[in-house]
Amino acid sequence: YVKYVGVPPRVRQGVIPDNPWTFTGGTVLQGDGTFPAFSGNDTPSGSPLPQGQFGNDGIVGFGLKNIGFEYFTKAVSTGATNKMGVLFGEFDNLWARKCSDWAFDFVNIMHSTVDRIFACIEKNDPGHGIRIRADVPIATLIPGNMMVSRFFVYQGELTGRGIVFESGAGSNLN
């Protein structure tokens, strides 16, 4: 089991609640906007592995806690069409701002805990907030069976997508 644990990010907001925030301390990873901070198994596949083998292709026992992300394409990106994401993972107290795609993109994730996830999409930012997606045929797997709580997305203007739970064609999110 691999889990990266940082010092809880400190943020500063304006005088009005639900304003965009900036980081003022804690563990904050900064990119240049051209790559994801953490990604794995996130290249789509034309077809899934057979039912009994699909889960073997996933990322097992991975976690992130108390980390801020700034200027990435995605803060966290796991799984893809016909590709297993994370199994038995823990994602807690994660903050992202200035991401150009989905800040947090969990595809085909199972038996994991996802809690206290924050995304900030300011005016004119091209990105989106948080997505949990099933994207594998039902005959192969029905992803889900996890604990999900306390999501927050600030959107300066409603140009991006906030919090999305979705299923691809022929998929179900359990």
Side-chain angles (χ1 to χ4, degrees), residues 13 18-21 94-96 101-104 116-122 127-131 150-158 160-164:
Q13 287 184 303
D18 294 343
N19 269 348
W21 64 77
L94 303 177
W95 299 70
D101 198 332
W102 287 100
F104 297 96
R116 291 184 42 81
I117 307 295
F118 302 87
C120 182
I121 306 166
E122 296 181 46
H128 307 290
I130 304 161
R131 177 171 76 163
R150 299 184 290 184
F151 286 0
F152 178 84
V153 175
Y154 168 81
Q155 291 182 280
E157 289 187 2
L158 299 178
R161 297 174 71 188
I163 300 168
V164 175

PDB file of all heavy atoms in Angstrom, residues 13 18-21 94-96 101-104 116-122 127-131 150-158 160-164:
ATOM      1  N   GLN A  13      -9.421  32.733   1.479  1.00  0.00           N
ATOM      2  CA  GLN A  13     -10.518  33.156   0.624  1.00  0.00           C
ATOM      3  C   GLN A  13     -10.745  34.644   0.815  1.00  0.00           C
ATOM      4  O   GLN A  13     -10.278  35.240   1.787  1.00  0.00           O
ATOM      5  CB  GLN A  13     -11.807  32.414   0.978  1.00  0.00           C
ATOM      6  CG  GLN A  13     -11.810  30.970   0.547  1.00  0.00           C
ATOM      7  CD  GLN A  13     -13.139  30.313   0.835  1.00  0.00           C
ATOM      8  OE1 GLN A  13     -13.588  30.303   1.962  1.00  0.00           O
ATOM      9  NE2 GLN A  13     -13.758  29.766  -0.191  1.00  0.00           N
ATOM     10  N   ASP A  18     -17.408  31.244  -0.087  1.00  0.00           N
ATOM     11  CA  ASP A  18     -17.452  30.603  -1.407  1.00  0.00           C
ATOM     12  C   ASP A  18     -16.772  31.434  -2.488  1.00  0.00           C
ATOM     13  O   ASP A  18     -17.164  31.402  -3.642  1.00  0.00           O
ATOM     14  CB  ASP A  18     -18.890  30.267  -1.815  1.00  0.00           C
ATOM     15  CG  ASP A  18     -19.501  29.213  -0.922  1.00  0.00           C
ATOM     16  OD1 ASP A  18     -18.747  28.529  -0.220  1.00  0.00           O
ATOM     17  OD2 ASP A  18     -20.728  29.079  -0.914  1.00  0.00           O
ATOM     18  N   ASN A  19     -15.769  32.182  -2.115  1.00  0.00           N
ATOM     19  CA  ASN A  19     -14.918  32.861  -3.083  1.00  0.00           C
ATOM     20  C   ASN A  19     -13.820  31.912  -3.522  1.00  0.00           C
ATOM     21  O   ASN A  19     -13.555  30.915  -2.863  1.00  0.00           O
ATOM     22  CB  ASN A  19     -14.261  34.093  -2.446  1.00  0.00           C
ATOM     23  CG  ASN A  19     -15.085  35.340  -2.628  1.00  0.00           C
ATOM     24  OD1 ASN A  19     -16.032  35.366  -3.398  1.00  0.00           O
ATOM     25  ND2 ASN A  19     -14.712  36.379  -1.926  1.00  0.00           N
ATOM     26  N   PRO A  20     -13.124  32.234  -4.607  1.00  0.00           N
ATOM     27  CA  PRO A  20     -11.959  31.408  -4.949  1.00  0.00           C
ATOM     28  C   PRO A  20     -10.915  31.530  -3.849  1.00  0.00           C
ATOM     29  O   PRO A  20     -10.912  32.492  -3.091  1.00  0.00           O
ATOM     30  CB  PRO A  20     -11.458  32.018  -6.261  1.00  0.00           C
ATOM     31  CG  PRO A  20     -12.041  33.378  -6.322  1.00  0.00           C
ATOM     32  CD  PRO A  20     -13.309  33.352  -5.530  1.00  0.00           C
ATOM     33  N   TRP A  21     -10.068  30.534  -3.778  1.00  0.00           N
ATOM     34  CA  TRP A  21      -9.052  30.549  -2.729  1.00  0.00           C
ATOM     35  C   TRP A  21      -7.665  30.540  -3.352  1.00  0.00           C
ATOM     36  O   TRP A  21      -7.480  30.210  -4.515  1.00  0.00           O
ATOM     37  CB  TRP A  21      -9.215  29.361  -1.787  1.00  0.00           C
ATOM     38  CG  TRP A  21      -9.017  28.024  -2.437  1.00  0.00           C
ATOM     39  CD1 TRP A  21      -7.836  27.435  -2.777  1.00  0.00           C
ATOM     40  CD2 TRP A  21     -10.030  27.114  -2.855  1.00  0.00           C
ATOM     41  NE1 TRP A  21      -8.047  26.214  -3.355  1.00  0.00           N
ATOM     42  CE2 TRP A  21      -9.386  25.992  -3.420  1.00  0.00           C
ATOM     43  CE3 TRP A  21     -11.409  27.123  -2.793  1.00  0.00           C
ATOM     44  CZ2 TRP A  21     -10.088  24.906  -3.925  1.00  0.00           C
ATOM     45  CZ3 TRP A  21     -12.100  26.043  -3.294  1.00  0.00           C
ATOM     46  CH2 TRP A  21     -11.440  24.959  -3.851  1.00  0.00           C
ATOM     47  N   LEU A  94      -7.989  16.775  -0.369  1.00  0.00           N
ATOM     48  CA  LEU A  94      -7.223  17.187  -1.542  1.00  0.00           C
ATOM     49  C   LEU A  94      -7.841  18.461  -2.121  1.00  0.00           C
ATOM     50  O   LEU A  94      -9.060  18.577  -2.222  1.00  0.00           O
ATOM     51  CB  LEU A  94      -7.222  16.080  -2.595  1.00  0.00           C
ATOM     52  CG  LEU A  94      -6.689  14.723  -2.133  1.00  0.00           C
ATOM     53  CD1 LEU A  94      -6.800  13.695  -3.250  1.00  0.00           C
ATOM     54  CD2 LEU A  94      -5.252  14.835  -1.636  1.00  0.00           C
ATOM     55  N   TRP A  95      -6.992  19.393  -2.502  1.00  0.00           N
ATOM     56  CA  TRP A  95      -7.414  20.694  -3.006  1.00  0.00           C
ATOM     57  C   TRP A  95      -6.754  20.924  -4.361  1.00  0.00           C
ATOM     58  O   TRP A  95      -5.568  20.669  -4.517  1.00  0.00           O
ATOM     59  CB  TRP A  95      -6.967  21.796  -2.057  1.00  0.00           C
ATOM     60  CG  TRP A  95      -7.533  21.712  -0.678  1.00  0.00           C
ATOM     61  CD1 TRP A  95      -7.244  20.782   0.293  1.00  0.00           C
ATOM     62  CD2 TRP A  95      -8.486  22.588  -0.097  1.00  0.00           C
ATOM     63  NE1 TRP A  95      -7.964  21.037   1.429  1.00  0.00           N
ATOM     64  CE2 TRP A  95      -8.731  22.155   1.221  1.00  0.00           C
ATOM     65  CE3 TRP A  95      -9.155  23.726  -0.564  1.00  0.00           C
ATOM     66  CZ2 TRP A  95      -9.619  22.799   2.067  1.00  0.00           C
ATOM     67  CZ3 TRP A  95     -10.034  24.366   0.289  1.00  0.00           C
ATOM     68  CH2 TRP A  95     -10.266  23.905   1.583  1.00  0.00           C
ATOM     69  N   ALA A  96      -7.514  21.439  -5.337  1.00  0.00           N
ATOM     70  CA  ALA A  96      -6.930  21.732  -6.647  1.00  0.00           C
ATOM     71  C   ALA A  96      -7.469  23.050  -7.181  1.00  0.00           C
ATOM     72  O   ALA A  96      -8.648  23.363  -7.012  1.00  0.00           O
ATOM     73  CB  ALA A  96      -7.230  20.616  -7.629  1.00  0.00           C
ATOM     74  N   ASP A 101      -8.230  20.613 -17.106  1.00  0.00           N
ATOM     75  CA  ASP A 101      -9.154  19.535 -17.456  1.00  0.00           C
ATOM     76  C   ASP A 101      -9.947  19.241 -16.184  1.00  0.00           C
ATOM     77  O   ASP A 101     -10.155  20.138 -15.379  1.00  0.00           O
ATOM     78  CB  ASP A 101      -8.355  18.313 -17.934  1.00  0.00           C
ATOM     79  CG  ASP A 101      -9.196  17.305 -18.716  1.00  0.00           C
ATOM     80  OD1 ASP A 101     -10.407  17.220 -18.487  1.00  0.00           O
ATOM     81  OD2 ASP A 101      -8.615  16.589 -19.550  1.00  0.00           O
ATOM     82  N   TRP A 102     -10.377  18.012 -15.950  1.00  0.00           N
ATOM     83  CA  TRP A 102     -11.007  17.659 -14.682  1.00  0.00           C
ATOM     84  C   TRP A 102      -9.954  17.777 -13.579  1.00  0.00           C
ATOM     85  O   TRP A 102      -8.880  17.184 -13.699  1.00  0.00           O
ATOM     86  CB  TRP A 102     -11.543  16.220 -14.716  1.00  0.00           C
ATOM     87  CG  TRP A 102     -12.763  16.070 -15.549  1.00  0.00           C
ATOM     88  CD1 TRP A 102     -12.831  15.593 -16.826  1.00  0.00           C
ATOM     89  CD2 TRP A 102     -14.085  16.435 -15.177  1.00  0.00           C
ATOM     90  NE1 TRP A 102     -14.120  15.640 -17.263  1.00  0.00           N
ATOM     91  CE2 TRP A 102     -14.918  16.142 -16.268  1.00  0.00           C
ATOM     92  CE3 TRP A 102     -14.652  16.972 -14.025  1.00  0.00           C
ATOM     93  CZ2 TRP A 102     -16.285  16.375 -16.248  1.00  0.00           C
ATOM     94  CZ3 TRP A 102     -16.018  17.201 -14.003  1.00  0.00           C
ATOM     95  CH2 TRP A 102     -16.816  16.902 -15.097  1.00  0.00           C
ATOM     96  N   ALA A 103     -10.247  18.505 -12.533  1.00  0.00           N
ATOM     97  CA  ALA A 103      -9.301  18.594 -11.421  1.00  0.00           C
ATOM     98  C   ALA A 103      -9.089  17.203 -10.818  1.00  0.00           C
ATOM     99  O   ALA A 103      -7.968  16.783 -10.572  1.00  0.00           O
ATOM    100  CB  ALA A 103      -9.792  19.579 -10.365  1.00  0.00           C
ATOM    101  N   PHE A 104     -10.192  16.491 -10.589  1.00  0.00           N
ATOM    102  CA  PHE A 104     -10.133  15.120 -10.056  1.00  0.00           C
ATOM    103  C   PHE A 104     -10.971  14.241 -10.969  1.00  0.00           C
ATOM    104  O   PHE A 104     -12.170  14.462 -11.126  1.00  0.00           O
ATOM    105  CB  PHE A 104     -10.658  15.082  -8.616  1.00  0.00           C
ATOM    106  CG  PHE A 104      -9.832  15.901  -7.670  1.00  0.00           C
ATOM    107  CD1 PHE A 104     -10.193  17.205  -7.358  1.00  0.00           C
ATOM    108  CD2 PHE A 104      -8.664  15.387  -7.127  1.00  0.00           C
ATOM    109  CE1 PHE A 104      -9.418  17.979  -6.509  1.00  0.00           C
ATOM    110  CE2 PHE A 104      -7.883  16.158  -6.278  1.00  0.00           C
ATOM    111  CZ  PHE A 104      -8.257  17.457  -5.958  1.00  0.00           C
ATOM    112  N   ARG A 116     -13.532  14.795   1.316  1.00  0.00           N
ATOM    113  CA  ARG A 116     -12.998  16.159   1.408  1.00  0.00           C
ATOM    114  C   ARG A 116     -12.139  16.494   0.181  1.00  0.00           C
ATOM    115  O   ARG A 116     -10.924  16.649   0.249  1.00  0.00           O
ATOM    116  CB  ARG A 116     -12.193  16.357   2.696  1.00  0.00           C
ATOM    117  CG  ARG A 116     -13.058  16.341   3.942  1.00  0.00           C
ATOM    118  CD  ARG A 116     -12.289  16.625   5.217  1.00  0.00           C
ATOM    119  NE  ARG A 116     -11.300  17.688   5.131  1.00  0.00           N
ATOM    120  CZ  ARG A 116     -11.553  19.005   5.206  1.00  0.00           C
ATOM    121  NH1 ARG A 116     -12.780  19.433   5.360  1.00  0.00           N
ATOM    122  NH2 ARG A 116     -10.576  19.882   5.123  1.00  0.00           N
ATOM    123  N   ILE A 117     -12.824  16.608  -0.951  1.00  0.00           N
ATOM    124  CA  ILE A 117     -12.172  16.928  -2.215  1.00  0.00           C
ATOM    125  C   ILE A 117     -12.670  18.306  -2.652  1.00  0.00           C
ATOM    126  O   ILE A 117     -13.878  18.528  -2.745  1.00  0.00           O
ATOM    127  CB  ILE A 117     -12.497  15.865  -3.292  1.00  0.00           C
ATOM    128  CG1 ILE A 117     -12.187  14.457  -2.785  1.00  0.00           C
ATOM    129  CG2 ILE A 117     -11.777  16.177  -4.585  1.00  0.00           C
ATOM    130  CD1 ILE A 117     -10.740  14.166  -2.511  1.00  0.00           C
ATOM    131  N   PHE A 118     -11.747  19.215  -2.917  1.00  0.00           N
ATOM    132  CA  PHE A 118     -12.080  20.603  -3.229  1.00  0.00           C
ATOM    133  C   PHE A 118     -11.462  20.995  -4.573  1.00  0.00           C
ATOM    134  O   PHE A 118     -10.288  20.724  -4.814  1.00  0.00           O
ATOM    135  CB  PHE A 118     -11.509  21.538  -2.153  1.00  0.00           C
ATOM    136  CG  PHE A 118     -12.000  21.241  -0.769  1.00  0.00           C
ATOM    137  CD1 PHE A 118     -11.351  20.306   0.018  1.00  0.00           C
ATOM    138  CD2 PHE A 118     -13.103  21.903  -0.250  1.00  0.00           C
ATOM    139  CE1 PHE A 118     -11.789  20.025   1.305  1.00  0.00           C
ATOM    140  CE2 PHE A 118     -13.548  21.633   1.031  1.00  0.00           C
ATOM    141  CZ  PHE A 118     -12.897  20.693   1.813  1.00  0.00           C
ATOM    142  N   ALA A 119     -12.243  21.648  -5.411  1.00  0.00           N
ATOM    143  CA  ALA A 119     -11.736  22.156  -6.686  1.00  0.00           C
ATOM    144  C   ALA A 119     -12.171  23.604  -6.845  1.00  0.00           C
ATOM    145  O   ALA A 119     -13.285  23.972  -6.464  1.00  0.00           O
ATOM    146  CB  ALA A 119     -12.241  21.315  -7.850  1.00  0.00           C
ATOM    147  N   CYS A 120     -11.305  24.405  -7.404  1.00  0.00           N
ATOM    148  CA  CYS A 120     -11.572  25.829  -7.609  1.00  0.00           C
ATOM    149  C   CYS A 120     -11.463  26.137  -9.099  1.00  0.00           C
ATOM    150  O   CYS A 120     -10.393  25.969  -9.689  1.00  0.00           O
ATOM    151  CB  CYS A 120     -10.571  26.660  -6.811  1.00  0.00           C
ATOM    152  SG  CYS A 120     -10.834  28.433  -6.923  1.00  0.00           S
ATOM    153  N   ILE A 121     -12.574  26.563  -9.695  1.00  0.00           N
ATOM    154  CA  ILE A 121     -12.598  26.942 -11.103  1.00  0.00           C
ATOM    155  C   ILE A 121     -12.926  28.435 -11.148  1.00  0.00           C
ATOM    156  O   ILE A 121     -14.075  28.826 -10.953  1.00  0.00           O
ATOM    157  CB  ILE A 121     -13.649  26.134 -11.889  1.00  0.00           C
ATOM    158  CG1 ILE A 121     -13.438  24.642 -11.685  1.00  0.00           C
ATOM    159  CG2 ILE A 121     -13.594  26.499 -13.369  1.00  0.00           C
ATOM    160  CD1 ILE A 121     -14.599  23.792 -12.123  1.00  0.00           C
ATOM    161  N   GLU A 122     -11.924  29.236 -11.368  1.00  0.00           N
ATOM    162  CA  GLU A 122     -12.131  30.684 -11.382  1.00  0.00           C
ATOM    163  C   GLU A 122     -12.610  31.155 -12.753  1.00  0.00           C
ATOM    164  O   GLU A 122     -12.576  30.406 -13.728  1.00  0.00           O
ATOM    165  CB  GLU A 122     -10.830  31.386 -10.998  1.00  0.00           C
ATOM    166  CG  GLU A 122     -10.392  31.076  -9.577  1.00  0.00           C
ATOM    167  CD  GLU A 122      -9.120  31.788  -9.195  1.00  0.00           C
ATOM    168  OE1 GLU A 122      -9.017  32.998  -9.470  1.00  0.00           O
ATOM    169  OE2 GLU A 122      -8.237  31.121  -8.641  1.00  0.00           O
ATOM    170  N   GLY A 127     -11.022  24.511 -16.925  1.00  0.00           N
ATOM    171  CA  GLY A 127     -11.215  23.181 -16.356  1.00  0.00           C
ATOM    172  C   GLY A 127     -12.579  22.906 -15.766  1.00  0.00           C
ATOM    173  O   GLY A 127     -13.507  23.713 -15.823  1.00  0.00           O
ATOM    174  N   HIS A 128     -12.669  21.710 -15.171  1.00  0.00           N
ATOM    175  CA  HIS A 128     -13.875  21.213 -14.522  1.00  0.00           C
ATOM    176  C   HIS A 128     -13.514  20.767 -13.111  1.00  0.00           C
ATOM    177  O   HIS A 128     -12.343  20.701 -12.753  1.00  0.00           O
ATOM    178  CB  HIS A 128     -14.465  20.031 -15.296  1.00  0.00           C
ATOM    179  CG  HIS A 128     -14.687  20.320 -16.747  1.00  0.00           C
ATOM    180  ND1 HIS A 128     -15.661  21.185 -17.204  1.00  0.00           N
ATOM    181  CD2 HIS A 128     -14.047  19.871 -17.844  1.00  0.00           C
ATOM    182  CE1 HIS A 128     -15.619  21.236 -18.526  1.00  0.00           C
ATOM    183  NE2 HIS A 128     -14.637  20.449 -18.939  1.00  0.00           N
ATOM    184  N   GLY A 129     -14.510  20.375 -12.332  1.00  0.00           N
ATOM    185  CA  GLY A 129     -14.294  20.027 -10.937  1.00  0.00           C
ATOM    186  C   GLY A 129     -13.945  18.572 -10.681  1.00  0.00           C
ATOM    187  O   GLY A 129     -12.810  18.139 -10.847  1.00  0.00           O
ATOM    188  N   ILE A 130     -14.947  17.780 -10.284  1.00  0.00           N
ATOM    189  CA  ILE A 130     -14.742  16.410  -9.811  1.00  0.00           C
ATOM    190  C   ILE A 130     -15.628  15.477 -10.622  1.00  0.00           C
ATOM    191  O   ILE A 130     -16.831  15.714 -10.753  1.00  0.00           O
ATOM    192  CB  ILE A 130     -15.102  16.294  -8.319  1.00  0.00           C
ATOM    193  CG1 ILE A 130     -14.284  17.301  -7.495  1.00  0.00           C
ATOM    194  CG2 ILE A 130     -14.913  14.868  -7.821  1.00  0.00           C
ATOM    195  CD1 ILE A 130     -14.873  17.576  -6.122  1.00  0.00           C
ATOM    196  N   ARG A 131     -15.045  14.394 -11.143  1.00  0.00           N
ATOM    197  CA  ARG A 131     -15.834  13.424 -11.903  1.00  0.00           C
ATOM    198  C   ARG A 131     -15.546  12.018 -11.389  1.00  0.00           C
ATOM    199  O   ARG A 131     -14.396  11.617 -11.231  1.00  0.00           O
ATOM    200  CB  ARG A 131     -15.500  13.496 -13.388  1.00  0.00           C
ATOM    201  CG  ARG A 131     -16.257  12.447 -14.208  1.00  0.00           C
ATOM    202  CD  ARG A 131     -16.105  12.660 -15.682  1.00  0.00           C
ATOM    203  NE  ARG A 131     -14.795  12.232 -16.158  1.00  0.00           N
ATOM    204  CZ  ARG A 131     -14.531  12.008 -17.445  1.00  0.00           C
ATOM    205  NH1 ARG A 131     -15.452  12.184 -18.364  1.00  0.00           N
ATOM    206  NH2 ARG A 131     -13.323  11.617 -17.796  1.00  0.00           N
ATOM    207  N   ARG A 150     -18.329  14.702   1.059  1.00  0.00           N
ATOM    208  CA  ARG A 150     -17.810  16.059   1.190  1.00  0.00           C
ATOM    209  C   ARG A 150     -16.998  16.524  -0.010  1.00  0.00           C
ATOM    210  O   ARG A 150     -15.780  16.656   0.049  1.00  0.00           O
ATOM    211  CB  ARG A 150     -17.032  16.201   2.489  1.00  0.00           C
ATOM    212  CG  ARG A 150     -17.923  15.936   3.702  1.00  0.00           C
ATOM    213  CD  ARG A 150     -17.229  16.167   4.985  1.00  0.00           C
ATOM    214  NE  ARG A 150     -16.223  15.164   5.227  1.00  0.00           N
ATOM    215  CZ  ARG A 150     -15.503  15.089   6.330  1.00  0.00           C
ATOM    216  NH1 ARG A 150     -15.674  15.966   7.284  1.00  0.00           N
ATOM    217  NH2 ARG A 150     -14.613  14.138   6.495  1.00  0.00           N
ATOM    218  N   PHE A 151     -17.700  16.787  -1.094  1.00  0.00           N
ATOM    219  CA  PHE A 151     -17.108  17.384  -2.283  1.00  0.00           C
ATOM    220  C   PHE A 151     -17.491  18.853  -2.317  1.00  0.00           C
ATOM    221  O   PHE A 151     -18.609  19.226  -1.954  1.00  0.00           O
ATOM    222  CB  PHE A 151     -17.658  16.728  -3.549  1.00  0.00           C
ATOM    223  CG  PHE A 151     -17.137  15.356  -3.845  1.00  0.00           C
ATOM    224  CD1 PHE A 151     -16.225  14.719  -3.039  1.00  0.00           C
ATOM    225  CD2 PHE A 151     -17.583  14.687  -4.962  1.00  0.00           C
ATOM    226  CE1 PHE A 151     -15.755  13.456  -3.331  1.00  0.00           C
ATOM    227  CE2 PHE A 151     -17.131  13.424  -5.272  1.00  0.00           C
ATOM    228  CZ  PHE A 151     -16.211  12.807  -4.462  1.00  0.00           C
ATOM    229  N   PHE A 152     -16.605  19.703  -2.805  1.00  0.00           N
ATOM    230  CA  PHE A 152     -16.917  21.118  -2.956  1.00  0.00           C
ATOM    231  C   PHE A 152     -16.210  21.637  -4.194  1.00  0.00           C
ATOM    232  O   PHE A 152     -15.012  21.423  -4.375  1.00  0.00           O
ATOM    233  CB  PHE A 152     -16.458  21.929  -1.742  1.00  0.00           C
ATOM    234  CG  PHE A 152     -16.719  23.402  -1.879  1.00  0.00           C
ATOM    235  CD1 PHE A 152     -17.956  23.931  -1.561  1.00  0.00           C
ATOM    236  CD2 PHE A 152     -15.731  24.246  -2.355  1.00  0.00           C
ATOM    237  CE1 PHE A 152     -18.214  25.284  -1.714  1.00  0.00           C
ATOM    238  CE2 PHE A 152     -15.983  25.604  -2.502  1.00  0.00           C
ATOM    239  CZ  PHE A 152     -17.225  26.117  -2.180  1.00  0.00           C
ATOM    240  N   VAL A 153     -16.967  22.311  -5.061  1.00  0.00           N
ATOM    241  CA  VAL A 153     -16.387  22.933  -6.239  1.00  0.00           C
ATOM    242  C   VAL A 153     -16.829  24.385  -6.278  1.00  0.00           C
ATOM    243  O   VAL A 153     -18.024  24.673  -6.273  1.00  0.00           O
ATOM    244  CB  VAL A 153     -16.809  22.219  -7.541  1.00  0.00           C
ATOM    245  CG1 VAL A 153     -16.284  22.966  -8.759  1.00  0.00           C
ATOM    246  CG2 VAL A 153     -16.314  20.787  -7.549  1.00  0.00           C
ATOM    247  N   TYR A 154     -15.864  25.288  -6.295  1.00  0.00           N
ATOM    248  CA  TYR A 154     -16.167  26.703  -6.512  1.00  0.00           C
ATOM    249  C   TYR A 154     -16.091  26.959  -8.008  1.00  0.00           C
ATOM    250  O   TYR A 154     -15.128  26.561  -8.665  1.00  0.00           O
ATOM    251  CB  TYR A 154     -15.152  27.608  -5.790  1.00  0.00           C
ATOM    252  CG  TYR A 154     -15.291  29.037  -6.266  1.00  0.00           C
ATOM    253  CD1 TYR A 154     -16.290  29.849  -5.750  1.00  0.00           C
ATOM    254  CD2 TYR A 154     -14.471  29.539  -7.266  1.00  0.00           C
ATOM    255  CE1 TYR A 154     -16.458  31.143  -6.213  1.00  0.00           C
ATOM    256  CE2 TYR A 154     -14.628  30.832  -7.732  1.00  0.00           C
ATOM    257  CZ  TYR A 154     -15.624  31.628  -7.212  1.00  0.00           C
ATOM    258  OH  TYR A 154     -15.799  32.899  -7.677  1.00  0.00           O
ATOM    259  N   GLN A 155     -17.115  27.621  -8.546  1.00  0.00           N
ATOM    260  CA  GLN A 155     -17.109  27.994  -9.954  1.00  0.00           C
ATOM    261  C   GLN A 155     -17.360  29.496 -10.061  1.00  0.00           C
ATOM    262  O   GLN A 155     -18.432  29.982  -9.706  1.00  0.00           O
ATOM    263  CB  GLN A 155     -18.186  27.243 -10.726  1.00  0.00           C
ATOM    264  CG  GLN A 155     -17.889  25.757 -10.857  1.00  0.00           C
ATOM    265  CD  GLN A 155     -18.947  25.051 -11.651  1.00  0.00           C
ATOM    266  OE1 GLN A 155     -19.997  24.736 -11.118  1.00  0.00           O
ATOM    267  NE2 GLN A 155     -18.671  24.811 -12.910  1.00  0.00           N
ATOM    268  N   GLY A 156     -16.373  30.231 -10.567  1.00  0.00           N
ATOM    269  CA  GLY A 156     -16.505  31.667 -10.722  1.00  0.00           C
ATOM    270  C   GLY A 156     -17.585  32.044 -11.710  1.00  0.00           C
ATOM    271  O   GLY A 156     -18.317  32.999 -11.534  1.00  0.00           O
ATOM    272  N   GLU A 157     -17.682  31.301 -12.772  1.00  0.00           N
ATOM    273  CA  GLU A 157     -18.765  31.410 -13.736  1.00  0.00           C
ATOM    274  C   GLU A 157     -19.111  29.980 -14.110  1.00  0.00           C
ATOM    275  O   GLU A 157     -18.267  29.104 -14.087  1.00  0.00           O
ATOM    276  CB  GLU A 157     -18.333  32.192 -14.971  1.00  0.00           C
ATOM    277  CG  GLU A 157     -18.156  33.670 -14.689  1.00  0.00           C
ATOM    278  CD  GLU A 157     -17.900  34.459 -15.959  1.00  0.00           C
ATOM    279  OE1 GLU A 157     -17.890  33.885 -17.056  1.00  0.00           O
ATOM    280  OE2 GLU A 157     -17.715  35.671 -15.830  1.00  0.00           O
ATOM    281  N   LEU A 158     -20.331  29.757 -14.457  1.00  0.00           N
ATOM    282  CA  LEU A 158     -20.768  28.388 -14.739  1.00  0.00           C
ATOM    283  C   LEU A 158     -20.366  27.955 -16.148  1.00  0.00           C
ATOM    284  O   LEU A 158     -21.185  27.563 -16.956  1.00  0.00           O
ATOM    285  CB  LEU A 158     -22.271  28.275 -14.526  1.00  0.00           C
ATOM    286  CG  LEU A 158     -22.713  28.576 -13.091  1.00  0.00           C
ATOM    287  CD1 LEU A 158     -24.226  28.484 -12.972  1.00  0.00           C
ATOM    288  CD2 LEU A 158     -22.058  27.635 -12.106  1.00  0.00           C
ATOM    289  N   GLY A 160     -17.587  25.694 -16.603  1.00  0.00           N
ATOM    290  CA  GLY A 160     -17.107  24.320 -16.489  1.00  0.00           C
ATOM    291  C   GLY A 160     -18.168  23.454 -15.819  1.00  0.00           C
ATOM    292  O   GLY A 160     -19.235  23.917 -15.445  1.00  0.00           O
ATOM    293  N   ARG A 161     -17.860  22.183 -15.675  1.00  0.00           N
ATOM    294  CA  ARG A 161     -18.761  21.262 -14.986  1.00  0.00           C
ATOM    295  C   ARG A 161     -18.264  21.101 -13.555  1.00  0.00           C
ATOM    296  O   ARG A 161     -17.079  21.026 -13.308  1.00  0.00           O
ATOM    297  CB  ARG A 161     -18.792  19.927 -15.724  1.00  0.00           C
ATOM    298  CG  ARG A 161     -19.357  20.104 -17.146  1.00  0.00           C
ATOM    299  CD  ARG A 161     -19.276  18.850 -17.948  1.00  0.00           C
ATOM    300  NE  ARG A 161     -20.235  17.882 -17.460  1.00  0.00           N
ATOM    301  CZ  ARG A 161     -20.279  16.625 -17.892  1.00  0.00           C
ATOM    302  NH1 ARG A 161     -19.423  16.202 -18.787  1.00  0.00           N
ATOM    303  NH2 ARG A 161     -21.160  15.797 -17.402  1.00  0.00           N
ATOM    304  N   GLY A 162     -19.185  21.023 -12.608  1.00  0.00           N
ATOM    305  CA  GLY A 162     -18.828  20.991 -11.195  1.00  0.00           C
ATOM    306  C   GLY A 162     -18.543  19.602 -10.677  1.00  0.00           C
ATOM    307  O   GLY A 162     -17.423  19.110 -10.736  1.00  0.00           O
ATOM    308  N   ILE A 163     -19.559  18.930 -10.133  1.00  0.00           N
ATOM    309  CA  ILE A 163     -19.431  17.587  -9.578  1.00  0.00           C
ATOM    310  C   ILE A 163     -20.281  16.664 -10.435  1.00  0.00           C
ATOM    311  O   ILE A 163     -21.487  16.881 -10.579  1.00  0.00           O
ATOM    312  CB  ILE A 163     -19.909  17.550  -8.114  1.00  0.00           C
ATOM    313  CG1 ILE A 163     -19.071  18.515  -7.268  1.00  0.00           C
ATOM    314  CG2 ILE A 163     -19.844  16.126  -7.562  1.00  0.00           C
ATOM    315  CD1 ILE A 163     -19.634  18.768  -5.887  1.00  0.00           C
ATOM    316  N   VAL A 164     -19.662  15.637 -11.007  1.00  0.00           N
ATOM    317  CA  VAL A 164     -20.353  14.783 -11.977  1.00  0.00           C
ATOM    318  C   VAL A 164     -20.163  13.318 -11.611  1.00  0.00           C
ATOM    319  O   VAL A 164     -19.042  12.858 -11.409  1.00  0.00           O
ATOM    320  CB  VAL A 164     -19.814  15.040 -13.409  1.00  0.00           C
ATOM    321  CG1 VAL A 164     -20.433  14.072 -14.395  1.00  0.00           C
ATOM    322  CG2 VAL A 164     -20.065  16.478 -13.825  1.00  0.00           C
TER     323      VAL A 164
END
